[in-house]
Amino acid sequence: LLDPISFFAEKMTSAEIRQSFLDFFREKQHSIVPSAPLLPSSPNLLFTNAGMNQFVPYFLGTEHAPYDPPRAADTQKCIRAGGKHNDLEDVGYDTYHHPFFEMLGNWSFGNYFKAEAIEWAWELLTKRWAMPKERLYATVYKPGEGDPADFDQEAYDLWRALFEREGLDPDVHIVNGNKADNFWMMGDTGPCGPCSEIHIDLTAEGDTKGSLVNQDDSRCIEIWNLVFIQFNAETDGSFRHLPATHVDTGMGFERACAVIQGTKGGSDFSKLASNYDTDVFTPIFDKLTELSGKKYTGTVPAVGRRDGLSEQEKIDVAFRVIADHIRTGSFAIADGILPSNNGRNYVIRRILRRAIRVARTIGLGSDAPLLPQLAPVVIEHFGDAFPELKERSDVILENLETEELSFGRTLDRGISLFEDAADKLDDGQPFPAATVVKLWETFGFPLDLTQVMIDERGLSVDAAELERLTQAHKDTGDAGDGPDTISAVTIDTHVTSEFIGYESDSVETTVEEWIESDDHTIAVVSKSPLYVEKGGQLGDTGSVLFEDGHEISIIETMSIGDALCLRLAESPVHRPNKLVVSLDTERRRGIESHHTATHILHWALHKEVSREASQQGSLVAPDRLRFDFNGKALSAKQISAIETAVNERISRNDTVSWQEVVHADIRDRDDIMQFFGDKYGERVRVVQIGGETGDLTGWSMELCGGTHVRNTGDIGLFKIRSEGAIAAGIRRIEAVCGEAAVNYVHESIDLLKEEIQAALDKLTAANNDLEKAGADGIAIPSVDVEELEGDADINGINALLVELTCHRDELQQAAIDADKRLKKASAGAAAEIASEWLEETLATVEDGSPKRLVGLLPGDNPALIQETLTGLKRRQFDGVAVLALVADDTVHIAAVVDKAHTSQFQAGKLVQELTALVDGKGGGKPEMARGAGKATDKVDAMLERARELIA
Ligand code: SER
């Protein structure tokens, strides 16, 4: 028989488990706070990776926790993936690792400490959630040689007393751990302290006596980490005591659900509890089964086994990978982390591509993209706890679909390239690293995805060779992790070419190979000045010149391995081994202006808005730039301040220089912008603006592989065209510079002048009408648009734009006012006319029941119809009336019938029939109806028919 608590716990859904955690701590006076977004506010983090991230200032004491008492609890969305420690490859092969997970946590900010944290954790687990206490173990910090701080005697004593009280042997249930396991640090620096973790024995017998604690064994897992924050890890490696002590706890939500749901509320351990056997994942599995006809059976390969899996084992791994990754992807996209080629965005792309590939190989999907069909389950199931999923469901589905379609285009060819290469290998021969790189470059296969495929076949790859090959691509300092475009061409070449386009626009070169591919001829050259699209900067175009004077345009440059390949617009008759390659310099100078302007914009954004506003993506084209950053909407004042700052820097005509440096030498310099942490190669390129050439003292310095102008003055004018949101917390600036900016400014000025003139004309016309109607006109602001001129510099132009905008707004408002006044005046006039007309007409109407009136109203003011209807009502006209008026080439018709006669005549029916006679439409209620038609020549016939109808 189950005890009552187990019985209750067993029935809890995951939503109820989450809620019961929050309720428990609410009862203990904790404020319940929302999860922070996955996009971290700290520039040093790839993703929000712990519940405590959002509370760091409270721990450091730089801000006060705004809760009374200073306690909080929440469930925090976390992603731990990417960066150095990346166990993405393990996902799906075990039951409890997820890149995305929820972390339930409770916090004390200088309030309660170890005693309460330990006591309450125990109470929640054993009393409310019915976890068998004899299966629980607590770890305590015991420093090793050189580790910080002392043995955590306080925690040890508290646990000892607790276990004794519960009748359990403290010597068995307390396990000591060193710095790696029991000293929690957010990163190399920041708030930290010793921790006590609670582990649960999930074996059938539950008699492991602590021997599996911290052994990376799925039969004994950590469920809750209680961190006692006491120190701040400083940059010099020392640990400074914080002014107050704090509590930071984190419990894996999915693991808690697994333990509660997978053990029948702590009563049945015959089957190993798995995160995937909970309703966190089963709704996604159900949908996958519905779509594929395949079933999840929960088999898990032995630790480390990747190859030779049975069909069902493969299906079960695939189900776990897909269900895990669709959750990660949906939550990330909802928080504005869209799959693309850099940094955290590339981590999301890698995760989604792995799901797409595994679905394809296992035959889980059909032709329609799978992920957008699964995401609605995630949105529905988690949308109450995380409303951003529902709010941004369109963006989620759209991005998933785009990602799946674009990867799908090359996926099959990539898979077969992989299979062919793998089939050719002799026993024990490593998989060729060059093919891994090719899959990455040409087919968009992230490196870790290919690693998974290699593991699945029980193969290996030469890691050093792979490192060497991939490094070559990263050495430009462009931290793109993959190619921006997946070229549809399959080219095999091993040429090593030199890019000389930082210095030269044109070069004589040898053609190493001529390749025919699809419809094009490709020249693989030893040297080329044409930039290959990368890091947001568009690729160059140009031409090749043959000795005989023949010239052919280059429509695209690609880099394949180390080779630069020029795709030509036409196939040359002769294929010499020498030619001259030149780039389209005008286009390139435009690109360079916009690229350098992007760096200055980034600098200005830090100066005028925030240091935290960092680049999320960019596009650099010959005639425009796009810059995405994280942050809030910019005010008009900020936009103008940014423009002014950028233009001021341009006018200084500072030198733009670049140089290659060893990354390790500059990695810690925060005056050099670098966003991709460890992902840079050994040597990187720094682009510096200002300072002395090459001494790294510029006011703007950024790691960048792109091309730039030589002096900021070359940029000319800079102008922002728009600023807006593209995702939650992500803004986009679109700007132009040089000639494009001057053109844009001229267009804006012309447009404003046109709008001013139009408003002026409208106002004059309205004033004329007002005069005719005998009413006062509106004062016309005096503006002579032609007189308005700005100074040539940006301040002069901006002042002019502002002045013109003010005039336009003022005039448009005046025109609106005049229009209103005119309407009022004409309504007044109409009321008078209607009244006169009614006096005259009603005098001629025969007495009777009902009275009958059919009439064409005078003049061409449509307001007259309404005024006449009002007049009839006021005179309590008891009968049936049909009114018509011709205005603006339209016949307006109205009918009224007093209530007493609606059984005899219905206004709606009358109008319906009459409007049809003037090629129009209309209708309404029995008492009142209106309509209109275009056939003004048929008015008389229509009125004749009206008389007949009501006779
Ligand atoms: N900060 C600790 C962790 O992330 C406890 O919340 O594990």
Side-chain angles (χ1 to χ4, degrees):
L1 236 142
L2 288 175
D3 74 62
I5 307 176
S6 291
F7 180 76
F8 178 70
E10 185 199 348
K11 298 271 185 287
M12 278 199 287
T13 63
S14 57
E16 286 164 349
I17 292 170
R18 186 190 293 114
Q19 195 56 48
S20 93
F21 177 92
L22 299 176
D23 288 345
F24 178 84
F25 283 102
R26 195 197 309 270
E27 291 159 25
K28 311 269 186 227
Q29 282 84 51
H30 287 63
S31 296
I32 308 304
V33 302
S35 170
L38 286 164
L39 191 67
S41 47
S42 157
N44 300 324
L45 286 175
L46 202 54
F47 298 101
T48 295
N49 67 356
M52 54 87 75
N53 291 167
Q54 62 169 321
F55 303 121
V56 169
Y58 308 153
F59 294 136
L60 296 178
T62 52
E63 277 176 42
H64 273 293
Y67 319 113
D68 183 20
R71 302 175 181 180
D74 72 3
T75 181
Q76 173 64 51
K77 301 175 278 187
C78 300
I79 293 184
R80 288 185 184 171
K84 261 189 248 154
H85 308 288
N86 177 11
D87 50 16
L88 255 189
E89 287 134 63
D90 294 330
V91 175
Y93 289 97
D94 70 17
T95 54
Y96 64 110
H97 275 111
H98 309 286
F100 170 84
F101 59 96
E102 279 180 59
M103 190 186 278
L104 300 167
N106 58 291
W107 285 273
S108 151
F109 308 109
N111 189 252
Y112 63 83
F113 204 37
K114 299 181 189 177
E116 294 87 338
I118 289 174
E119 203 50 59
W120 289 339
W122 188 261
E123 182 185 337
L124 176 65
L125 293 181
T126 59
K127 305 265 162 29
R128 204 157 286 199
W129 286 354
M131 294 189 187
K133 56 188 183 184
E134 59 287 352
R135 287 176 175 268
L136 298 179
Y137 294 85
T139 63
V140 167
Y141 177 57
K142 182 177 179 205
E145 202 41 40
D147 287 349
D150 300 324
F151 176 64
D152 194 350
Q153 190 65 45
E154 190 184 353
Y156 179 84
D157 291 344
L158 289 162
W159 280 117
R160 186 161 191 101
L162 184 148
F163 284 121
E164 276 170 357
R165 180 186 82 206
E166 299 288 335
L168 297 164
D169 182 355
D171 292 333
V172 171
H173 285 267
I174 300 176
V175 181
N176 290 336
N178 61 10
K179 180 171 176 231
D181 285 324
N182 280 86
F183 193 89
W184 198 83
M185 299 180 67
M186 180 177 80
D188 292 339
T189 57
C192 56
C195 59
S196 260
E197 295 173 348
I198 304 176
H199 294 243
I200 185 162
D201 179 345
L202 296 172
T203 58
E205 306 303 333
D207 58 355
T208 56
K209 301 211 178 313
S211 60
L212 297 182
V213 170
N214 276 334
Q215 300 302 315
D216 257 338
D217 192 311
S218 57
R219 292 169 302 165
C220 183
I221 59 172
E222 172 205 339
I223 46 172
W224 204 344
N225 187 10
L226 316 180
V227 184
F228 312 120
I229 305 257
Q230 284 162 272
F231 307 99
N232 188 56
E234 306 281 313
T235 36
D236 64 2
S238 65
F239 293 84
R240 173 174 60 88
H241 271 281
L242 287 170
T245 55
H246 316 272
V247 171
D248 154 27
T249 87
M251 164 156 46
F253 168 68
E254 296 77 6
R255 292 184 184 185
C257 292
V259 173
I260 295 172
Q261 295 183 358
T263 64
K264 304 214 169 103
S267 67
D268 178 358
F269 286 80
S270 56
K271 187 167 165 254
L272 184 64
S274 155
N275 292 6
Y276 293 96
D277 293 334
T278 66
D279 71 335
V280 174
F281 292 99
T282 45
I284 308 174
F285 287 171
D286 291 346
K287 185 72 191 178
L288 257 179
T289 298
E290 179 195 318
L291 292 172
S292 69
K294 307 246 161 47
K295 280 212 170 62
Y296 178 73
T297 65
T299 59
V300 182
V303 179
R305 198 162 71 90
R306 294 284 193 273
D307 58 326
L309 302 189
S310 72
E311 268 320 296
Q312 188 59 49
E313 279 175 321
K314 282 189 201 162
I315 289 171
D316 289 342
V317 169
F319 265 68
R320 286 189 289 265
V321 169
I322 295 169
D324 176 279
H325 290 4
I326 187 68
R327 266 181 16 114
T328 312
S330 303
F331 274 91
I333 296 171
D335 279 348
I337 308 170
L338 313 181
S340 86
N341 265 352
N342 287 102
R344 60 175 71 93
N345 308 76
Y346 190 59
V347 176
I348 299 305
R349 167 163 286 174
R350 273 164 38 205
I351 290 176
L352 292 174
R353 290 193 170 178
R354 188 174 165 211
I356 295 165
R357 202 274 320 186
V358 82
R360 187 73 63 103
T361 48
I362 269 338
L364 290 179
S366 62
D367 286 344
L370 176 71
L371 300 182
Q373 298 184 75
L374 286 180
V377 182
V378 176
I379 295 166
E380 177 61 33
H381 195 59
F382 298 96
D384 287 340
F386 302 96
E388 60 276 18
L389 289 171
K390 287 190 176 161
E391 280 153 26
R392 304 190 47 78
S393 63
D394 288 354
V395 184
I396 298 174
L397 300 183
E398 205 179 289
N399 272 278
L400 291 175
E401 176 162 345
T402 312
E403 192 60 24
E404 191 159 343
L405 289 177
S406 85
F407 186 46
R409 257 177 246 134
T410 51
L411 178 59
D412 290 331
R413 285 199 292 140
I415 291 175
S416 74
L417 178 84
F418 174 87
E419 298 294 342
D420 289 350
D423 290 343
K424 276 194 210 124
L425 299 177
D426 294 330
D427 266 358
Q429 202 187 346
F431 189 86
T435 310
V436 178
V437 173
K438 183 164 182 175
L439 281 166
W440 173 52
E441 265 209 336
T442 312
F443 298 94
F445 280 54
L447 298 178
D448 52 1
L449 171 56
T450 308
Q451 184 63 54
V452 169
M453 295 163 69
I454 290 171
D455 292 345
E456 282 173 1
R457 301 260 313 214
L459 300 168
S460 65
V461 62
D462 181 342
E465 172 71 356
L466 183 59
E467 176 69 15
R468 193 188 64 77
L469 290 177
T470 50
Q471 212 56 52
H473 293 273
K474 296 175 182 172
D475 280 354
T476 55
D478 195 311
D481 302 70
D484 271 319
T485 48
I486 300 166
S487 173
V489 197
T490 316
I491 304 169
D492 224 350
T493 172
H494 297 284
V495 170
T496 299
S497 330
E498 188 189 351
F499 171 67
I500 50 110
Y502 293 128
E503 304 84 25
S504 320
D505 295 342
S506 176
V507 71
E508 189 183 27
T509 178
T510 349
V511 182
E512 302 289 339
E513 276 172 46
W514 285 101
I515 297 176
E516 285 300 330
S517 174
D518 295 350
D519 300 337
H520 289 102
T521 303
I522 287 165
V524 185
V525 290
S526 64
K527 285 184 196 160
S528 162
L530 272 67
Y531 188 80
V532 180
E533 171 164 354
K534 208 183 299 155
Q537 174 174 337
L538 295 188
D540 286 325
T541 57
S543 61
V544 290
L545 181 68
F546 297 89
E547 249 175 357
D548 61 4
H550 191 59
E551 196 173 349
I552 296 179
S553 340
I554 301 165
I555 48 175
E556 190 191 359
T557 304
M558 296 164 289
S559 70
I560 306 291
D562 294 329
L564 290 171
C565 309
L566 312 176
R567 199 203 289 234
L568 304 186
E570 61 186 80
S571 186
V573 188
H574 301 295
R575 303 192 168 185
N577 57 6
K578 278 226 177 304
L579 42 72
V580 175
V581 193
S582 307
L583 59 81
D584 177 341
T585 46
E586 200 183 314
R587 187 170 176 281
R588 163 69 92 75
R589 296 288 103 83
I591 290 177
E592 290 175 346
S593 282
H594 285 90
H595 202 156
T596 310
T598 304
H599 286 210
I600 306 180
L601 168 63
H602 200 172
W603 166 87
L605 203 60
H606 280 189
K607 177 169 166 284
E608 300 295 337
V609 183
S610 155
R611 287 277 320 167
E612 304 284 300
S614 67
Q615 178 169 342
Q616 299 294 317
S618 78
L619 171 80
V620 179
D623 55 353
R624 74 206 149 97
L625 69 88
R626 213 166 65 192
F627 185 81
D628 300 340
F629 61 99
N630 56 312
K632 294 201 203 74
L634 300 182
S635 66
K637 213 164 143 198
Q638 284 173 317
I639 291 178
S640 146
I642 291 171
E643 270 180 357
T644 309
V646 172
N647 282 299
E648 186 271 326
R649 291 287 146 157
I650 291 173
S651 66
R652 288 181 177 210
N653 203 22
D654 279 337
T655 307
V656 183
S657 57
W658 44 85
Q659 60 175 310
E660 260 194 38
V661 298
V662 174
H663 187 221
D665 294 345
I666 54 117
R667 66 179 316 146
D668 294 328
R669 283 190 55 173
D670 56 10
D671 57 339
I672 301 179
M673 292 198 233
Q674 39 191 324
F675 321 107
F676 305 106
D678 290 323
K679 285 209 226 67
Y680 292 102
E682 190 195 322
R683 298 186 68 77
V684 292
R685 215 167 149 265
V686 182
V687 172
Q688 155 183 353
I689 315 181
E692 286 300 319
T693 302
D695 70 352
L696 299 183
T697 57
W699 45 265
S700 156
M701 290 181 286
E702 238 178 81
L703 296 197
C704 173
T707 64
H708 290 268
V709 296
R710 307 285 157 149
N711 298 290
T712 59
D714 300 344
I715 299 171
L717 182 67
F718 170 85
K719 185 91 193 115
I720 292 177
R721 297 188 59 139
S722 71
E723 189 274 342
I726 51 160
I730 311 268
R731 312 290 302 178
R732 169 169 293 172
I733 286 177
E734 291 181 310
V736 277
C737 49
E739 215 181 286
V742 173
N743 290 342
Y744 171 70
V745 167
H746 281 145
E747 280 162 24
S748 307
I749 290 174
D750 290 347
L751 183 69
L752 277 167
K753 284 185 172 174
E754 273 169 33
E755 286 172 346
I756 287 174
Q757 197 53 56
L760 209 55
D761 293 347
K762 228 169 142 185
L763 182 56
T764 315
N767 270 354
N768 281 340
D769 289 346
L770 277 170
E771 200 184 326
K772 265 190 233 155
D776 290 340
I778 297 263
I780 300 184
S782 69
V783 220
D784 187 349
V785 265
E786 297 314 320
E787 285 274 284
L788 290 173
E789 292 289 345
D791 296 334
D793 74 351
I794 181 67
N795 293 326
I797 287 168
N798 274 339
L800 175 61
L801 287 173
V802 169
E803 192 175 351
L804 287 171
T805 310
C806 285
H807 283 309
R808 180 202 58 192
D809 294 348
E810 192 186 4
L811 278 162
Q812 284 181 344
Q813 190 53 49
I816 290 169
D817 291 344
D819 221 42
K820 269 193 207 145
R821 194 178 286 185
L822 193 61
K823 279 215 176 79
K824 221 169 160 185
S826 77
E832 215 167 288
I833 298 170
S835 175
E836 269 172 34
W837 184 82
L838 274 176
E839 288 304 319
E840 277 171 27
T841 315
L842 286 174
T844 66
V845 167
E846 278 176 33
D847 249 355
S849 184
K851 290 197 182 112
R852 295 171 165 88
L853 185 162
V854 174
L856 181 66
L857 295 170
D860 59 358
N861 181 355
L864 205 49
I865 289 245
Q866 187 52 50
E867 292 302 335
T868 312
L869 289 173
T870 314
L872 281 171
K873 204 167 179 186
R874 206 177 299 129
R875 287 172 176 78
Q876 292 170 346
F877 175 74
D878 48 349
V880 41
V882 175
L883 306 171
L885 176 100
V886 179
D888 310 326
D889 297 324
T890 306
V891 188
H892 300 265
I893 301 172
V896 281
V897 178
D898 77 312
K899 217 181 179 111
H901 294 98
T902 44
S903 53
Q904 208 174 339
F905 303 110
Q906 289 85 36
K909 278 197 187 141
L910 288 171
V911 168
Q912 205 174 8
E913 181 170 347
L914 294 172
T915 44
L917 295 177
V918 291
D919 303 344
K921 264 204 182 109
K925 305 218 170 78
E927 286 172 67
M928 158 58 199
R930 295 185 66 159
K934 283 282 161 202
T936 47
D937 55 328
K938 296 184 184 148
V939 179
D940 292 336
M942 184 273 292
L943 290 172
E944 199 43 51
R945 177 68 186 145
R947 285 185 196 100
E948 280 169 32
L949 284 173
I950 67 171

